[in-house]
Amino acid sequence: MPEVPLLKVKDLVRRYKLPRESLLRAPGEVLALNGVSVRVMAGRSLGVVGESGSGKSTFARLVMALERPTSGSVLLSGRDLNAMPADELRCARRDFQMVFQDPYGSLDPRQTIARIVAEPLTALGKLDRASLRERVAGVLRQVGLRDADIDKYPHEFSGGQRQRIAIARALITQPKLIVADEPVSALDVSVQAQVLNLLQDLQEQFGLSYILISHDLAVVDYLCDEIVVMYLGRVVEQGSSEDLFACGAHPYTRALLDAVPRAKAGAVRQRRQAFATASHSAAGSGCPYAPRCPLADQHCRDVPPRLHEIGPNHLAACHKAEAVMALPPLAEAGSALVPDRHGA
């Protein structure tokens, strides 16, 4: 029998109303997500990459049921999170937790580490104080901290240690899925490697599944089995990390990869912004990437590409995917597919 995915996201759409500019006109809308569908298998990692404004964080909030989608569904272990009553959803949160981007802003400075880490368990049900402290001490040890840290406050720790505390808070309920939204972007490069190694070790130890939201391709290459590339709320390419890094089939994927300075495999690399930020309002009826794509023709501007299979478990939403794959390897291609800062 085919393996059932732990998480199944189908046709996810999220629209946001813009502030009304005139009493005589209806408020505008931003289409933050446009028909996103992904699957995550148990014990596997999915990386979601794209520039700012591509819909990554909106996707994370909808997967965590922090917001309701305009349409579409999010199924965890076969259960639709948005169809659950509030009490049932609160109990279901034991199975999925989140690690936020900022290790300084995500921890309450007025609370001890014991209370911060125990918070998810406290919200789920009642445990006696002794049992809570024992669970907290145990999970702190799992992330490389000491029992003596339990009564300290966040300001007594470095950025990397604070992110370990945030990971401990996510682990305390023994979840099946952890959604990490830019978990290392606020850390020094050397500390990033430590946190990524910790996440990998925890996955091997507990069989965790991750959704890693990032705009740093080096980070998702290190940790993730599969990568989804998003642009203006759409999935433009999806496949294994090996396929995307060796032979990206969408011009946007190539542009992202060309923006990463070359380094030894497995090393955590610094980011470099190499292209202008996209605008949701600039998208026309055809391919949303057409205004910035050097390969676009009139067909691309008129007809939106569908996400189709171009290889085993490799999908791309591009009319010219085969032509892109035929280009020289990324190491030799230089910046041929990196659009200039004016979107040409």
Side-chain angles (χ1 to χ4, degrees):
M1 294 181 63
E3 187 180 359
V4 177
L6 172 65
L7 178 75
K8 183 178 180 181
V9 176
K10 185 172 177 59
D11 298 330
L12 210 58
V13 174
R14 184 65 168 100
R15 299 177 185 273
Y16 292 101
K17 295 261 186 207
L18 295 174
R20 185 187 291 270
E21 296 181 355
S22 171
L23 293 175
L24 304 178
R25 288 184 298 190
E29 287 186 338
V30 169
L31 185 57
L33 289 181
N34 187 1
V36 174
S37 298
V38 299
R39 295 185 177 192
V40 180
M41 311 308 291
R44 307 285 285 179
S45 298
L46 174 71
V48 181
V49 301
E51 64 193 80
S52 298
S54 61
K56 307 185 304 297
S57 294
T58 300
F59 174 77
R61 290 195 297 271
L62 267 59
V63 168
M64 287 298 301
L66 299 177
E67 295 183 16
R68 297 184 66 87
T70 304
S71 63
S73 60
V74 179
L75 278 67
L76 183 71
S77 300
R79 300 176 296 172
D80 190 341
L81 298 182
N82 295 295
M84 291 181 180
D87 291 344
E88 188 177 343
L89 177 60
R90 184 170 63 251
C91 293
R93 290 192 182 279
R94 179 186 300 271
D95 293 332
F96 61 104
Q97 293 290 318
M98 189 164 187
V99 176
F100 295 93
Q101 175 179 359
D102 183 6
Y104 296 91
S106 62
L107 305 180
D108 188 339
R110 299 167 297 179
Q111 304 289 345
T112 64
I113 302 308
R115 294 193 65 175
I116 289 171
V117 175
E119 183 180 8
L121 278 183
T122 305
L124 288 170
K126 294 183 178 180
L127 283 178
D128 61 85
R129 182 179 176 84
S131 298
L132 272 177
R133 286 184 67 86
E134 184 178 349
R135 289 281 293 272
V136 170
V139 78
L140 287 178
R141 289 193 294 270
Q142 289 170 356
V143 300
L145 296 175
R146 303 171 301 168
D147 292 5
D149 295 327
I150 195 169
D151 291 316
K152 294 181 179 179
Y153 289 84
H155 73 268
E156 300 179 66
F157 297 90
S158 67
Q161 289 173 322
R162 292 187 193 202
Q163 201 63 302
R164 288 173 183 265
I165 294 167
I167 294 169
R169 179 173 57 186
L171 285 174
I172 194 74
T173 63
Q174 299 175 340
K176 300 175 182 177
L177 172 70
I178 290 180
V179 178
D181 188 2
E182 301 276 11
V184 297
S185 64
L187 306 176
D188 292 338
V189 173
S190 59
V191 181
Q192 288 183 17
Q194 297 173 16
V195 174
L196 291 174
N197 286 333
L198 172 63
L199 291 172
Q200 193 172 60
D201 292 342
L202 292 172
Q203 183 177 43
E204 294 174 357
Q205 184 177 355
F206 300 108
L208 294 170
S209 295
Y210 292 125
I211 293 180
L212 181 64
I213 311 294
S214 182
H215 57 264
D216 192 328
L217 285 158
V219 170
V220 296
D221 180 35
Y222 184 84
L223 192 65
C224 297
D225 309 297
E226 188 172 3
I227 298 175
V228 166
V229 181
M230 293 186 63
Y231 182 77
L232 290 184
R234 306 171 190 238
V235 175
V236 297
E237 188 166 359
Q238 179 176 347
S240 68
S241 57
E242 292 84 359
D243 286 343
L244 265 68
F245 275 80
C247 192
H250 194 282
Y252 181 60
T253 305
R254 290 271 182 145
L256 287 175
L257 291 170
D258 277 334
V260 179
R262 304 299 169 197
K264 293 180 180 180
V268 177
R269 291 158 280 186
Q270 294 180 339
R271 302 186 306 281
R272 177 167 60 90
Q273 190 74 8
F275 28 75
T277 301
S279 170
H280 286 262
S281 61
S285 59
C287 174
Y289 191 63
R292 301 169 64 188
C293 179
L295 301 180
D297 56 20
Q298 195 58 45
H299 180 68
C300 298
R301 298 182 182 94
D302 294 339
V303 180
R306 61 179 181 84
L307 194 66
H308 63 283
E309 192 171 50
I310 56 173
N313 300 315
H314 190 178
L315 309 174
C318 180
H319 295 304
K320 299 182 180 295
E322 288 74 15
V324 175
M325 294 178 70
L327 290 171
L330 288 168
E332 303 172 13
S335 58
L337 286 176
V338 179
D340 64 33
R341 294 184 180 273
H342 301 288

